[in-house]
Amino acid sequence: MSRKESLWYIGLLLLAAVLYVWNLSINGWANAYYAAAAQAGASDWKAFFFGSSDLGNGITVDKLPASIWVSSMSVRLFGLSSWSLLVPQALMGVGTIALTYVIVRRHFHMTAALLAGGIALLTPAAAVMFRYNSPDALLTLLLVTSLYLVVRAVEDGRWRWLLGAGIAVGLGFLTKSAQALIILPVLGLVYLFAGPAKMGRRVLQLLASTGAAAVAAGWWVVIAENSEAMERPYAGGSFTNSFVEVLLRQNGLGRLVGTAAGGSSQTEDIKSGPLKLLMYPTFGTQGAWLLIIAMMLLISSLVLLRRRPINDPKRAVLLLAGGWLFAYSGVFSFMSGVINPYYLVALAPPLGIVVGAGAQLSWAARRWLPFRLAHAVTFLVSAMLAAGYLAISGGLGSPLALVVLIAAVILAELLIFRIRKRIVVRATAIATTVVCLIGPSLFTISAVLNPHVGIWPAATLPAATVVFDSPAPDDWPADSTVAARGTAIGHSPDKAVLDLLAADASGSRWTAATPGASNAARYQLESGASVLPIGGFNGSTPFPTLNQFRDYAQTGEIRYYISRSDSENISAEAGFADEITAWVRANFTPRVIGEIEVYDLQRP
């Protein structure tokens, strides 16, 4: 790598670091549900291993715990704060951009690699997730790592690259379950097609890699599933206290066919179909800006490479990234279960790789009219789609939509004509790139400038952008009204209640219990006291049962019960929480603090 290229590469990574780290504590606890789990894991190794959502080791989060492990270790080392929770995610983002660049640069020009890294960096969902404590940041880093390792395997056929790729996918499974496995067939088929070794050796290597993935993915599940139920927290998200059920129903088939509990209210009216990611701005604005262009560049590049040797590394890179992009786009488009727009962060690296590498190959073929027409038409359609996203987004979106349309019409004409002057060709290429990135750049900047909290974060263009002159404090409440966008289910902690819990934080296994994990998490984070979430994440998990709760109350393992005076329901399935709330109200007298009822379970 030359000095000039090193400076460009370092500049790209510094830009990524600035975008992902700048004013990071504006997000407070971000997703308080996972923040509370990191707090628990930092204080107790059993909670760390199982991914407990509470300090009392009552119930786990409804995901496998790999991402919680990272956050917990950071909190253990640096103390509980917004920074210790979110900086690891930002570093994962920088690592993702670095690998995206390196993958393309191995076989393409520096300009193509910079374009690939820049597109991944300016994907709005990436700007949200790499400043957030959901599992998607770690998952995306592991996916791009697995792709990089298979690219290396295609180059020299060494076992270590394929075994490493399998381990990366397995760790991705421990991060976000079945979503990590979508890439596995793509990696295997491309290596089987393009690997340099003989067919028999390739098959053996892939079997070994699959075995490595199975071990990396399954060791924790085997240990957790075979642990005594009384010796571990309840498996959050299951009805039978089974981690296998969590994998198969909550985070497996349930996600695909719509039987998983919970979900985003943002997506209830969105229908599945091939154009889902493009036609619904809820998804399109988060990561689908360049999807049409990427598909065109992928097809045109593969046509141009059709006569290359089978093990051509350029084609392998495009097949790997294109397969990743096609597989995840297809699953996200047709799944009828729970899907949130920020899932599109998984498209950022392959989108960048396909566009960066494909642009280099396809642009070089512009002397042929069919390629120029394909470029012009695809660019114009993408620009119209982007203008539509911008026009309905408010703020600067409306005037920029007009700018994008006018510029797209002019540039589309220039793309059709075969212009021979180098300066005009370069100017056209640069202008086309700028127009394509106006929309995602604006949403990315908005994602950085504005706070995101709760369980449905998304990059939007608010009418009034909120910018803090100085970083928000580490204990800034994650449900502040200034950050209402994406606020989690639940109510705001009352300071008097927090003071009460903090004063009795060490007296019981759980200082308090309350319906729903979002409520419990914020009480626990703000007070430092252990708070049991009745019914898990959304109140529908059957833990604790009424009989178990009675036992906990009678033995002093739970001191207080917290409820809203308006009998707040967490979900339509919150029968477990409602049953317990009714029993508490029938047997104890509340202390009313605003709209909050606090019951002392030691005083019937």
Side-chain angles (χ1 to χ4, degrees):
M1 185 181 290
S2 67
R3 183 178 180 182
K4 178 182 178 181
E5 181 175 349
S6 297
L7 290 175
W8 278 106
Y9 184 44
I10 292 171
L12 175 67
L13 299 187
L14 286 176
L15 179 59
V18 169
L19 281 178
Y20 296 152
V21 175
W22 183 81
N23 205 18
L24 191 57
S25 60
I26 196 174
N27 288 336
W29 302 123
N31 190 323
Y33 181 49
Y34 296 123
Q39 178 192 27
S43 64
D44 180 80
W45 287 112
K46 181 187 288 187
F48 175 89
F49 180 80
F50 288 103
S52 294
S53 65
D54 60 279
L55 289 166
N57 263 326
I59 185 171
T60 71
V61 296
D62 61 351
K63 301 286 190 299
L64 297 190
S67 65
I68 303 299
W69 293 341
V70 177
S71 298
S72 294
M73 289 305 300
S74 180
V75 172
R76 185 178 285 269
L77 290 172
F78 303 109
L80 179 65
S81 70
S82 179
W83 283 96
S84 65
L85 288 166
L86 302 181
V87 165
Q89 324 302 319
L91 295 178
M92 293 173 197
V94 175
T96 298
I97 302 305
L99 281 174
T100 301
Y101 177 96
V102 169
I103 288 168
V104 176
R105 186 63 185 98
R106 291 192 68 82
H107 301 288
F108 296 87
H109 297 162
M110 180 190 72
T111 304
L114 287 172
L115 180 59
I119 288 171
L121 177 64
L122 295 176
T123 299
V128 174
M129 283 295 101
F130 291 132
R131 296 169 55 86
Y132 216 70
N133 58 334
S134 288
D136 299 78
L138 179 57
L139 174 65
T140 304
L141 176 60
L142 290 169
L143 292 177
V144 76
T145 299
S146 69
L147 189 140
Y148 167 77
L149 292 171
V150 174
V151 169
R152 297 298 303 271
V154 169
E155 294 170 359
D156 59 25
R158 294 187 180 183
W159 288 78
R160 64 186 183 187
W161 305 125
L162 290 166
L163 293 176
I167 292 171
V169 173
L171 293 176
F173 181 84
L174 287 182
T175 302
K176 210 174 179 193
S177 306
Q179 187 173 332
L181 302 182
I182 300 171
I183 200 174
L184 199 57
V186 174
L187 301 179
L189 289 173
V190 172
Y191 183 75
L192 195 64
F193 170 76
K198 293 182 178 180
M199 179 59 72
R201 180 182 174 89
R202 274 178 274 168
V203 172
L204 288 176
Q205 288 176 320
L206 290 176
L207 289 175
S209 179
T210 303
V215 172
W219 68 271
W220 182 90
V221 178
V222 172
I223 294 174
E225 189 70 10
N226 288 281
S227 299
E228 290 291 335
M230 298 299 294
E231 300 298 323
R232 63 166 173 79
Y234 189 96
S238 74
F239 292 117
T240 60
N241 196 11
S242 168
F243 292 102
V244 172
E245 182 196 341
V246 175
L247 292 172
L248 295 179
R249 187 188 63 85
Q250 177 73 6
N251 296 312
L253 292 176
R255 295 275 172 173
L256 292 175
V257 300
T259 60
S264 170
S265 63
Q266 295 181 1
T267 62
E268 288 177 356
D269 297 328
I270 293 178
K271 297 180 180 180
S272 299
L275 299 179
K276 175 181 177 179
L277 301 186
L278 295 172
M279 300 308 296
Y280 291 100
T282 300
F283 290 97
T285 57
Q286 304 308 299
W289 300 84
L290 303 178
L291 198 55
I292 296 175
I293 290 177
M295 293 302 180
M296 181 275 294
L297 290 175
L298 178 63
I299 294 170
S300 61
S301 297
L302 291 177
V303 170
L304 290 169
L305 296 173
R306 67 189 183 280
R307 294 180 180 176
R308 292 289 187 94
I310 289 179
N311 60 346
D312 177 62
K314 284 186 171 65
R315 182 167 53 196
V317 168
L318 284 164
L319 288 174
L320 286 166
W324 174 356
L325 186 63
F326 181 81
Y328 278 79
S329 297
V331 170
F332 292 159
S333 295
F334 288 97
M335 64 186 290
S336 56
V338 177
I339 175 173
N340 290 305
Y342 62 75
Y343 288 9
L344 268 65
V345 64
L347 303 185
L351 195 65
I353 294 169
V354 169
V355 173
Q360 176 187 318
L361 294 170
S362 192
W363 185 257
R366 65 186 182 279
R367 62 182 179 274
W368 291 310
L369 180 60
F371 284 88
R372 297 200 303 273
L373 287 173
H375 291 166
V377 172
T378 306
F379 168 66
L380 190 58
V381 171
S382 296
M384 293 173 63
L385 188 67
Y389 292 158
L390 289 167
I392 64 174
S393 297
L396 291 173
S398 297
L400 282 178
L402 184 60
V403 172
V404 168
L405 279 178
I406 294 174
V409 171
I410 297 172
L411 290 170
E413 294 178 358
L414 292 175
L415 288 172
I416 292 176
F417 295 114
R418 187 179 179 184
I419 302 172
R420 299 182 183 277
K421 289 187 177 182
R422 182 174 296 181
I423 188 171
V424 178
V425 171
R426 288 184 176 180
T428 301
I430 293 172
T432 301
T433 303
V434 170
V435 170
C436 286
L437 294 179
I438 285 177
S441 297
L442 186 62
F443 274 74
T444 293
I445 292 171
S446 177
V448 172
L449 294 180
N450 291 278
H452 298 275
V453 298
I455 58 176
W456 301 314
T460 61
L461 299 184
T465 301
V466 180
V467 182
F468 285 87
D469 294 328
S470 59
D474 289 333
D475 60 349
W476 181 67
D479 61 320
S480 172
T481 55
V482 77
R485 183 175 69 258
T487 302
I489 302 171
H491 58 255
S492 303
D494 187 284
K495 187 179 185 304
V497 178
L498 295 174
D499 292 341
L500 178 66
L501 299 182
D504 196 24
S506 60
S508 304
R509 179 180 177 183
W510 295 287
T511 305
T514 191
S518 294
N519 287 333
R522 283 177 286 176
Y523 278 115
Q524 179 174 290
L525 289 164
E526 301 296 335
S527 69
S530 177
V531 181
L532 174 64
I534 302 296
F537 174 67
N538 61 1
S540 64
T541 300
F543 178 85
T545 63
L546 178 57
N547 288 336
Q548 287 174 317
F549 184 86
R550 286 172 176 167
D551 291 340
Y552 290 146
Q554 291 170 0
T555 58
E557 292 184 83
I558 300 177
R559 177 63 191 273
Y560 298 105
Y561 187 76
I562 302 171
S563 179
R564 284 283 293 270
S565 57
D566 59 0
S567 300
E568 159 188 58
N569 283 321
I570 302 303
S571 76
E573 302 178 12
F576 305 103
D578 289 347
E579 187 178 32
I580 290 172
T581 300
W583 178 81
V584 169
R585 286 176 174 169
N587 291 276
F588 299 88
T589 301
R591 173 185 172 183
V592 180
I593 302 175
E595 295 183 347
I596 309 300
E597 296 176 345
V598 180
Y599 296 84
D600 188 340
L601 302 182
Q602 303 305 306
R603 297 180 179 179

